[in-house]
Amino acid sequence: MIKKYFKNIIWILLALLGALAFSTIALSRNESINAVWFITAAVCIYMIAYRFYASWIAAKVLVIDEHRKTPALRLQNDKDFIPTDKWIVFGHHFAAIAGPGPLVGPTLAAQFGYLPGMLWILIGAVLGGAVQDMTTLFFSTRRNGKSLGQMARDEIGVIGGTASLIGTFLIMVILIAVLGLVVVNAMKHSPWATSTVAATIPIAIFIGIYLRSIRTGRVLEASLIGFGLLLLAVFAGGLIDHSQTLRTYFDHDSLTLAWAIIFYGFAAAVLPVWLLLAPRDYLSTFVKLGTVIVLAVAIITLQPEIKMPALTQFTDGTGPIFGGSLFPFVFITIACGSISGFHSLIASGTTPKLLDNEKYIPMIGYGAMLLESFVAIMALIAATVLEPGIFFAINSPVGVVGSEAVDAIQKINSWGFKVTVEEMELLAKNMGETSLFARTGGAPSLAVGMANIFGKAFGTNLLAMWYHFAIMFEAIFILTTLDAGTRVGRFMLQDMIGNIYPKFGQTSWMPSIILSSAIVVSCWGYFLYIGVIDPNGGVNILWPLFGIANQMLAAIALSVGTGILIKSNKLKYAWVTGLPLIWLIIVTTTAAYQKIFSQDIRVGFLAAARDLTDKINIGLIEDSKISITHQLIFNQKLDAFITLFLLIILWTVVIDMLRISFFKKN
Amino acid sequence: MLKAIKLIYVFLRRLSGDDLYDLYVMNHKQCSNKHKLMSKQQFYQATLDKKWSGIKRCC
């Protein structure tokens, strides 16, 4: 009895502490706030949500049965279905869902101030993202580990299944393009960053050979050796940067780097998995987990002050990083970290085949998403501990602030954020770069933030090393996603064309491999190319498009969940997945509508296309740039079409789900 | 202390997939599988083929 009261008191104290931290963050204005409040609010909310909400969903909504045999036990073989320890499944699941998204999204959304992103990451994760991951994991487990596409086809119909397939392919294409752009922007005219990222390729190949032929399958020791080599590559990058001869080999503009990435993507998709993709993945998982843990420890011990205001004037939609107002664009910009449809592809199909007991579903489905949300909080902290002037100088594209440092500084100062040319030059020098202006995409500003935090924790004389380590850390798993995504796209394409020409469906037939890889690479390569030649930085277009596609997939996953709950006579609990679904429908529809039809040329695709056409007609565009401008106009129209297509898919799935749930009840 | 280090080592091996082949051999015996036991290299290749044929990494 006393123990019970004691437990209750602990939870009440935790709730009070969480409320205090949350209100401190929410009510703080015009004064700096310590990052510890962010961590405190996040941890308290996660613990309470996990203890009460996830448990309630498990017990009442899903009715998890710990005595029921999971597919891993019933269908155990030595291939797919392998009962695995819960912590190992948790580790695999988390490593699979946590990509670069939770690092990039919150950094970009920091243009609105720290508060909107912070609130959305916390609320979105506990009420939306974690619920989606957990329910999808549960429903897939109860269906022998079926994938989201299969469940959508079974539960909603052919339309739902096809929509999720097309949605997945589209997300893949846009995601790879935007991530490629992030890496390009981090490497442009930076010999140190370029040489370090380039060195990860031979390192991965060496580890691949080691794992296959020297010490087969010894992943742990190979990862440790690879990690040592990566650190060496960061150090060697510094030496290359200081050598007048060597640095010229790695000093390239965006377009050259974009072509290099496109060529690399094609090679990675065609080469055997063991040679490049698999070893890179082992290395990136190792580096990712290690860096995230060290960053968390550094933030907790250093307790840095947040410099960004709670809200900036850019909530009105005039932000330099991407156009669009706070609603709906903060909810589109931060997908991974709050709610990400992509997770449902991991939570179905892969993880359920390893689960040895249903009772671990909340821990793995809900818990891993909370941890990813925590990574997003740390990324937000790393971005907002920077002086706002510096943050905007790094992240604002040339098209907004101009190509000259003086113009950029004037513009940023006119927004009320103090920064000088000298400060930016000193910062670039400290980070081992020639310039940090207009390094859009989020990776460089996050790297500067991380370098500052690591520098304070471990010594400021190594700032440049920390900066390039952070760039390497981001690039290595961005490139893994790029490799893996291109390969998955290739398989999907081979499968689809294989229905018409069966020989093409043979995944090991070389002409099919080369042709399908070339098609997939051309798709994302096109968007990457356009992103690079776009003076507004490309991120302004590509990231919202990715966000819309990702949230659309989340809506499909939640539609499947809601449909199953309604059909299982659990209408009274359907709000658990239904409410986040309604929110996503509102957000995605509004964002898609604005992206297509807004009259603001930095938001609406069609308005931007019209504006460029008018500029050509009245002779405002130089002759040498007319050809590029035509490409940009075509791209704006194409983006409008894709957005409309995504919107139609979303509404078709939702209407079909409601029709089948209410009118075709089994 | 040594026991704790050993536990961590075992956990890291399991998490990284370092001991996958050992587990496979153990499973193979337990399931009295009719398939021929794969060599280390064959198993490594099969694991990679299986792992990278679907969506295994997120955004």
Side-chain angles (χ1 to χ4, degrees):
Chain A
M1 195 68 171
I2 293 170
K3 204 176 167 187
K4 194 182 163 191
Y5 279 123
F6 183 70
K7 267 187 180 175
N8 287 342
I9 288 169
I10 296 265
W11 284 111
I12 290 167
L13 288 176
L14 208 62
L16 288 173
L17 182 63
L20 174 70
F22 206 74
S23 52
T24 306
I25 296 164
L27 301 174
S28 175
R29 293 288 184 279
N30 303 323
E31 57 196 83
S32 74
I33 180 167
N34 199 289
V36 167
W37 289 112
F38 284 40
I39 305 278
T40 310
V43 171
C44 291
I45 287 170
Y46 295 151
M47 286 176 77
I48 290 165
Y50 182 76
R51 169 63 185 84
F52 296 101
Y53 193 44
S55 301
W56 178 80
I57 293 173
K60 296 283 180 188
V61 182
L62 305 178
V63 196
I64 279 172
D65 180 0
E66 62 180 281
H67 301 296
R68 188 186 177 110
K69 278 195 167 183
T70 60
L73 290 169
R74 275 187 290 109
L75 308 170
Q76 182 175 358
N77 56 19
D78 49 16
K79 288 178 180 173
D80 298 325
F81 296 90
I82 306 165
T84 309
D85 179 81
K86 63 178 187 292
W87 287 107
I88 305 300
V89 184
F90 181 88
H92 281 293
H93 184 78
F94 175 69
I97 64 169
L103 299 177
V104 177
T107 307
L108 300 178
Q111 77 163 358
F112 293 128
Y114 66 75
L115 189 58
M118 170 84 189
L119 293 179
W120 172 232
I121 290 170
L122 293 181
I123 298 170
V126 299
L127 297 180
V131 174
Q132 175 211 245
D133 293 11
M134 179 179 162
T135 51
T136 307
L137 178 57
F138 173 80
F139 292 132
S140 177
T141 304
R142 284 284 173 100
R143 283 157 184 75
N144 290 342
K146 278 188 179 173
S147 68
L148 177 71
Q150 288 169 320
M151 287 199 292
R153 203 165 40 238
D154 294 349
E155 303 298 334
I156 302 177
V158 181
I159 295 172
T162 312
S164 69
L165 192 73
I166 296 169
T168 308
F169 187 77
L170 268 176
I171 290 177
M172 209 77 81
V173 167
I174 299 164
L175 170 74
I176 296 172
V178 75
L179 291 181
L181 189 60
V182 170
V183 178
V184 165
N185 286 341
M187 294 194 298
K188 69 177 176 188
H189 295 302
S190 169
W192 192 336
T194 307
S195 59
T196 305
V197 174
T200 64
I201 299 169
I203 290 173
I205 290 175
F206 167 70
I207 297 299
I209 294 168
Y210 183 92
L211 275 169
R212 190 170 191 254
S213 307
I214 302 173
R215 295 266 291 163
T216 308
R218 291 293 187 184
V219 176
L220 197 56
E221 64 187 47
S223 301
L224 278 169
I225 294 169
F227 182 65
L229 291 173
L230 288 176
L231 291 182
L232 206 62
V234 176
F235 178 74
L239 299 180
I240 288 171
D241 190 47
H242 286 99
S243 159
Q244 287 307 317
T245 321
L246 289 175
R247 74 190 313 276
T248 54
Y249 294 109
F250 297 97
D251 189 354
H252 300 292
D253 61 12
S254 307
L255 201 54
T256 311
L257 291 167
W259 281 114
I261 293 229
I262 290 168
F263 177 74
Y264 165 79
F266 177 74
V270 173
L271 285 174
V273 163
W274 65 266
L275 190 59
L276 189 56
L277 174 54
R280 184 190 277 289
D281 182 60
Y282 288 130
L283 289 177
S284 73
T285 306
F286 200 81
V287 173
K288 180 166 61 182
L289 292 177
T291 309
V292 163
I293 291 167
V294 174
L295 182 62
V297 172
I299 287 174
I300 291 164
T301 47
L302 285 174
Q303 305 176 3
E305 290 288 318
I306 303 292
K307 307 273 176 56
M308 184 70 76
L311 291 164
T312 66
Q313 67 268 43
F314 303 130
T315 50
D316 64 359
T318 57
I321 301 175
F322 57 89
S325 52
L326 179 71
F327 176 84
F329 286 98
V330 74
F331 307 104
I332 293 298
T333 308
I334 304 178
C336 316
S338 303
I339 178 163
S340 162
F342 222 127
H343 291 189
S344 60
L345 303 176
I346 308 289
S348 61
T350 307
T351 307
K353 293 177 182 168
L354 303 174
L355 262 184
D356 66 358
N357 196 314
E358 280 191 3
K359 69 179 175 184
Y360 302 130
I361 285 175
M363 172 197 158
I364 293 157
Y366 201 93
M369 177 62 215
L370 294 186
L371 195 55
E372 161 136 319
S373 172
F374 190 61
V375 173
I377 291 287
M378 285 193 293
L380 185 70
I381 292 172
T384 52
V385 293
L386 290 175
E387 286 292 345
I390 290 173
F391 173 83
F392 286 111
I394 298 173
N395 283 300
S396 301
V398 171
V400 175
V401 293
S403 56
E404 297 299 322
V406 180
D407 298 336
I409 291 296
Q410 261 184 3
K411 185 86 177 173
I412 293 162
N413 287 340
S414 74
W415 295 331
F417 301 116
K418 284 180 190 164
V419 62
T420 61
V421 175
E422 292 73 30
E423 268 180 273
M424 286 304 293
E425 280 173 352
L426 181 65
L427 183 73
K429 196 180 160 209
N430 286 340
M431 298 295 159
E433 293 289 310
T434 46
S435 169
L436 283 170
F437 280 105
R439 293 215 174 243
T440 57
S445 67
L446 180 64
V448 171
M450 282 171 69
N452 273 330
I453 292 169
F454 287 150
K456 277 176 192 159
F458 306 107
T460 46
N461 52 338
L462 290 174
L463 269 178
M465 289 289 282
W466 285 120
Y467 173 82
H468 289 94
F469 174 80
I471 291 288
M472 183 274 291
F473 150 77
E474 294 173 79
I476 193 170
F477 61 94
I478 283 180
L479 291 180
T480 306
T481 308
L482 187 142
D483 296 359
T486 305
R487 194 169 285 267
V488 169
R490 187 191 103 193
F491 285 134
M492 290 171 83
L493 210 61
Q494 283 179 305
D495 191 40
M496 281 189 263
I497 300 176
N499 290 326
I500 305 159
Y501 178 48
K503 182 122 179 104
F504 200 88
Q506 290 174 12
T507 49
S508 54
W509 189 45
M510 199 39 93
S512 164
I513 292 174
I514 291 175
L515 188 60
S516 52
S517 300
I519 295 171
V520 176
V521 172
S522 305
C523 288
W524 62 254
Y526 163 77
F527 286 105
L528 173 58
Y529 167 76
I530 292 290
V532 165
I533 62 167
D534 186 346
N536 283 321
V539 171
N540 182 45
I541 289 179
L542 284 174
W543 194 263
L545 207 55
F546 161 63
I548 290 170
N550 202 358
Q551 303 300 44
M552 181 213 68
L553 195 60
I556 292 176
L558 288 166
S559 290
V560 170
T562 309
I564 293 174
L565 286 176
I566 296 172
K567 284 200 287 185
S568 323
N569 293 320
K570 288 183 181 172
L571 185 60
K572 67 175 177 177
Y573 294 128
W575 60 267
V576 171
T577 49
L579 279 183
L581 171 63
I582 291 169
W583 179 245
L584 285 188
I585 293 170
I586 294 169
V587 164
T588 313
T589 306
T590 316
Y593 180 83
Q594 289 188 10
K595 286 307 293 180
I596 301 169
F597 299 112
S598 168
Q599 294 304 311
D600 181 345
I601 57 165
R602 294 201 61 240
V603 180
F605 292 131
L606 297 178
R610 273 196 305 274
D611 178 64
L612 289 173
T613 311
D614 292 345
K615 279 180 178 161
I616 290 177
N617 291 340
I618 56 174
L620 280 177
I621 306 282
E622 293 169 33
D623 286 350
S624 59
K625 289 186 177 170
I626 284 187
S627 159
I628 285 180
T629 310
H630 278 298
Q631 289 178 35
L632 292 175
I633 292 169
F634 172 77
N635 184 59
Q636 297 280 5
K637 290 178 180 171
L638 178 68
D639 291 338
F641 173 76
I642 292 173
T643 311
L644 185 66
F645 183 67
L646 291 171
L647 198 59
I648 291 170
I649 289 182
L650 169 71
W651 277 96
T652 308
V653 170
V654 171
I655 292 169
D656 216 30
M657 179 271 289
L658 291 173
R659 181 181 66 82
I660 286 170
S661 301
F662 287 106
F663 301 111
K664 281 197 173 181
K665 225 186 263 185
N666 299 327
Chain B
M1 184 67 179
L2 265 176
K3 204 177 166 187
I5 293 172
K6 200 178 168 189
L7 261 175
I8 293 170
Y9 175 66
V10 170
F11 178 75
L12 284 176
R13 280 199 77 203
R14 185 67 55 86
L15 191 63
S16 61
D18 201 63
D19 63 353
L20 266 184
Y21 186 70
D22 303 340
L23 286 174
Y24 160 71
V25 174
M26 208 168 72
N27 258 326
H28 192 272
K29 282 177 190 165
Q30 276 179 1
C31 294
S32 58
N33 211 314
K34 283 174 190 164
H35 297 291
K36 198 182 154 196
L37 186 73
M38 284 187 274
S39 70
K40 245 185 185 181
Q41 276 205 338
Q42 285 170 328
F43 175 77
Y44 181 64
Q45 188 58 49
T47 309
L48 295 187
D49 288 344
K50 187 188 75 185
K51 183 175 177 183
W52 294 107
S53 59
I55 298 169
K56 299 295 153 74
R57 284 294 174 267
C58 191
C59 49

